[in-house]
Amino acid sequence: MPPLLQPHQLLWASINAASGMVLTQVLAGPDHFQESKIRMLLHQVLPPVLLQNVLDCVLHQLAVHHPMSTSPSIISCLLRILAHPNITKFQLSDLSYAGTVELEALDKVESTLIQLLPSFNRLTHLNLSTHRQKVTLPSCSSGVLEAVGRCCPNLVLLNLNHNNRVTSEGLLHLYPGKQRPGCLKLEKLFIQDCGAEPEDVAMLLHFFPALQLIGFSELGTSLQMLHSQPWWCKGSKRQRRQYKLRLTHVDNTMSRVQRCDGEIVDFLVDSCPDVENLKIRVCDEDVGQLARLTRLTHLELRFFTGIHHPMGNATVHYLTGPGGAGLASLTLFCYRLHAWHVATIAQNCPNLVKLYLYANLAVADTPLTSHINKMQKLEVLSLRLGHDELTLSPTACDLLLFLIRGALCIRELFLMVRSLGLTHDFMVNLLNENPLASLKIFIADVPRRTMAAPMLEFNIETAYLLINTCCNLQMLGNLICWNITPEEVAELQAMKRLCNYNLTIIYKHSNKINNKLTN
């Protein structure tokens, strides 16, 4: 049976209580005397690390539970009360939950932030991201970035995602200058959906030697720009050796241009030897070069560049070599997934902890029962077959039984498949072969599901089977596409409450699956 709910931890209960007290006092009527009194009391009894947690909790409660009270004066008051000079992490992104605000409010909160930043010389993490709303808090104009470049030399992470006030000119303030030390220790920079251009990111990569991760949809374009520079690609080997990037994460799958990234692969193997996490669009012939990235442990390959590309000998050769043996996570997007490819992965990638397989069609070109599955460390398995809700995948059951064979550590299992073989009896056989004692999340749904299409043949007996067999189960779904009535779902919910199970039962109409590739 699932684990029982436990009482709230004392630490977080104290943080919530302190946050509620601060918010109540400020909302009752902020004034300078009350602000100073609360600030003095909190700084006396709470260390800076807890003040960070209280600040995060207060801003979240304000934006989610009191959005109508999210005025610039209230936010500025809270920031002045809770901002401690010794804090290292400053996160304002939860303010975006309050929704759209006036432009005047953005300016006032920015002004408070600019006043506070000079005292945060120990700041290492700053999060000013939003949730894709056009006019919302927090905002980050050039004035804020100027203060960051002048006052935060120890900054390691800067998150500006979806912040539409960020511009190319603002990013220039992160560089060292006569009046500012800059942020040369910056390791992680997130600038999705901002005013940054690929050439700006290319220069950031060149002049910020500590950068390991840049969250930017057109990162591949920036890398190509860098590669095309004459001072980078020409000269002796000794001269080229000094132009090495410390990037550990590269993701070019979000690019608007669905093109082959063969040139980017060439650049990576020559100039980014430290890459550990790579997500990229490829043709089969480009995969072979990845063997030169000896630190690569997390790999996502999308065999789609506007047209579908098959996996071939180069991919198989990479997986059967040292590259495959060193992978801890592997994600494959392809049109046809052959059983031979699955067998190759299972036999040659024994260190895989996470495996994600997404394909339009599954081809049974070899009997899997004759192959060995060495993935005994596997904890996360996601299998998605079919490009719409009417596509049947008759080989799905064989693939699933083969992949979980001996994988006793599986914690998360995601099935996005429609197959006539996925029935209650199949789940009985599967759990007899592998009881999934470590399983915490089980999700079974249909790709691009519509309520008019036939659903999975799992029923309420299947739900009880999983609940009673998997002793660590904490999430079960999506029951909307199972052969279960709303009354039976209500029965499951009542049983969960009666037994005090720490279990989330999902029963939602939404089916949010990334079909970027499999259209």
Side-chain angles (χ1 to χ4, degrees):
M1 61 181 65
L4 301 180
L5 284 171
Q6 300 297 322
H8 290 296
Q9 294 181 1
L10 180 60
L11 174 62
W12 287 106
S14 302
I15 290 172
N16 284 328
S19 303
M21 182 272 293
V22 172
L23 196 54
T24 301
Q25 292 290 328
V26 173
L27 291 179
D31 61 72
H32 182 71
F33 176 75
Q34 188 76 356
E35 176 184 318
S36 301
K37 186 177 178 180
I38 298 174
R39 175 182 172 85
M40 184 179 299
L41 176 62
L42 288 176
H43 285 212
Q44 285 177 349
V45 299
L46 292 179
V49 65
L50 288 185
L51 279 173
Q52 290 180 185
N53 293 328
V54 171
L55 177 59
D56 294 343
C57 188
V58 164
L59 295 180
H60 181 78
Q61 290 183 10
L62 176 66
V64 174
H65 302 294
H66 306 278
M68 302 304 295
S69 302
T70 312
S71 65
S73 58
I74 294 293
I75 296 173
S76 299
C77 180
L78 290 171
L79 293 180
R80 287 192 294 266
I81 289 174
L82 295 168
H84 192 282
N86 290 330
I87 67 171
T88 58
K89 298 180 180 180
F90 199 36
Q91 176 174 312
L92 301 182
S93 60
D94 281 348
L95 288 175
S96 61
Y97 288 118
T100 304
V101 298
E102 299 293 333
L103 291 174
E104 184 181 357
L106 301 183
D107 296 333
K108 288 184 178 180
V109 175
E110 278 190 3
S111 177
T112 302
L113 184 58
I114 292 172
Q115 293 173 8
L116 291 173
L117 280 173
S119 61
F120 295 165
N121 56 358
R122 297 189 181 184
L123 201 65
T124 59
H125 294 66
L126 178 60
N127 189 338
L128 299 176
S129 63
T130 71
H131 293 86
R132 302 193 179 191
Q133 296 189 33
K134 291 186 177 180
V135 184
T136 185
L137 292 168
S139 64
C140 182
S141 65
S142 296
V144 174
L145 288 175
E146 182 180 2
V148 170
R150 186 177 66 253
C151 308
C152 305
N154 296 310
L155 203 63
V156 174
L157 183 149
L158 178 59
N159 190 342
L160 305 175
N161 279 348
H162 316 301
N163 208 312
N164 63 351
R165 280 197 163 188
V166 176
T167 63
S168 299
E169 292 75 15
L171 292 175
L172 292 176
H173 294 295
L174 301 178
Y175 291 81
K178 294 181 180 179
Q179 302 292 329
R180 59 180 185 273
C183 303
L184 286 180
K185 295 183 180 180
L186 202 60
E187 296 179 359
K188 299 178 181 179
L189 177 63
F190 300 92
I191 46 177
Q192 298 283 12
D193 295 334
C194 295
E197 298 294 335
E199 52 267 26
D200 303 321
V201 176
M203 290 300 98
L204 285 168
L205 285 167
H206 178 56
F207 289 106
F208 284 70
L211 273 176
Q212 298 177 10
L213 188 158
I214 291 188
F216 183 62
S217 59
E218 299 300 328
L219 179 60
T221 304
S222 301
L223 292 174
Q224 288 180 323
M225 287 181 174
L226 207 56
H227 193 204
S228 65
Q229 298 300 315
W231 43 264
W232 190 288
C233 60
K234 296 181 179 180
S236 65
K237 289 185 178 181
R238 183 176 180 181
Q239 290 174 327
R240 291 200 302 268
R241 196 177 297 124
Q242 64 178 320
Y243 298 118
K244 297 291 184 182
L245 302 181
R246 293 183 60 184
L247 284 178
T248 58
H249 294 64
V250 174
D251 181 359
N252 197 45
T253 59
M254 294 179 290
S255 174
R256 293 186 298 270
V257 182
Q258 296 179 338
R259 62 189 168 201
C260 182
D261 290 339
E263 294 182 9
I264 299 176
V265 172
D266 294 338
F267 177 74
L268 291 176
V269 298
D270 287 333
S271 305
C272 304
D274 297 331
V275 169
E276 300 173 2
N277 190 316
L278 177 61
K279 299 179 180 181
I280 201 164
R281 297 178 183 273
V282 291
C283 300
D284 179 69
E285 55 266 25
D286 302 317
V287 179
Q289 298 187 70
L290 298 179
R292 294 171 58 187
L293 297 174
T294 56
R295 299 189 182 184
L296 193 60
T297 55
H298 304 277
L299 178 62
E300 177 179 314
L301 298 176
R302 294 181 178 242
F303 292 88
F304 182 78
T305 59
I307 60 173
H308 295 282
H309 299 279
M311 286 190 288
N313 294 332
T315 304
V316 172
H317 181 72
Y318 172 77
L319 293 173
T320 55
L327 292 177
S329 173
L330 176 63
T331 303
L332 294 178
F333 285 84
C334 59
Y335 184 77
R336 286 187 178 87
L337 179 66
H338 292 259
W340 169 247
H341 295 144
V342 177
T344 301
I345 294 169
Q347 187 169 355
N348 296 280
C349 304
N351 294 308
L352 279 183
V353 177
K354 299 179 181 181
L355 177 61
Y356 305 87
L357 299 174
Y358 304 128
N360 284 353
L361 301 172
V363 181
D365 56 349
T366 184
L368 291 172
T369 53
S370 61
H371 292 275
I372 300 175
N373 183 357
K374 297 182 179 179
M375 298 186 299
Q376 298 182 1
K377 298 179 181 180
L378 198 64
E379 296 182 4
V380 179
L381 174 62
S382 180
L383 182 64
R384 183 193 188 281
L385 301 176
H387 64 281
D388 59 39
E389 75 280 0
L390 296 177
T391 303
L392 287 173
S393 301
T395 62
C397 294
D398 292 336
L399 287 175
L400 183 58
L401 286 172
F402 174 71
L403 288 169
I404 70 162
R405 186 191 304 166
L408 302 179
C409 299
I410 287 186
R411 298 174 182 269
E412 301 177 18
L413 180 57
F414 302 90
L415 299 179
M416 299 295 176
V417 178
R418 197 172 80 84
S419 173
L420 298 179
L422 290 178
T423 63
H424 175 73
D425 291 337
F426 170 78
M427 287 304 302
V428 172
N429 294 332
L430 184 146
L431 291 173
N432 284 335
E433 180 167 330
N434 186 343
L436 301 176
S438 301
L439 190 68
K440 292 185 176 181
I441 299 175
F442 179 81
I443 303 294
D445 209 329
V446 179
R448 289 193 175 183
R449 169 175 42 77
T450 64
M451 299 308 297
M455 298 298 165
L456 297 175
E457 290 303 318
F458 293 153
N459 52 37
I460 191 171
E461 299 293 334
T462 312
Y464 277 117
L465 174 68
L466 288 161
I467 291 172
N468 294 327
T469 305
C470 306
C471 57
N472 289 297
L473 192 66
Q474 295 180 10
M475 185 176 292
L476 177 64
N478 182 359
L479 301 190
I480 191 69
C481 70
W482 295 20
N483 188 14
I484 293 181
T485 65
E487 292 76 17
E488 289 174 329
V489 174
E491 176 188 329
L492 286 171
Q493 297 282 13
M495 178 274 299
K496 181 195 76 168
R497 291 190 295 269
L498 180 64
C499 297
N500 194 36
Y501 287 159
N502 183 20
L503 176 65
T504 300
I505 296 176
I506 301 176
Y507 185 72
K508 292 185 177 181
H509 290 274
S510 62
N511 185 320
K512 295 181 179 179
I513 304 173
N514 185 357
N515 296 299
K516 190 175 182 180
L517 170 92
T518 54
N519 288 332

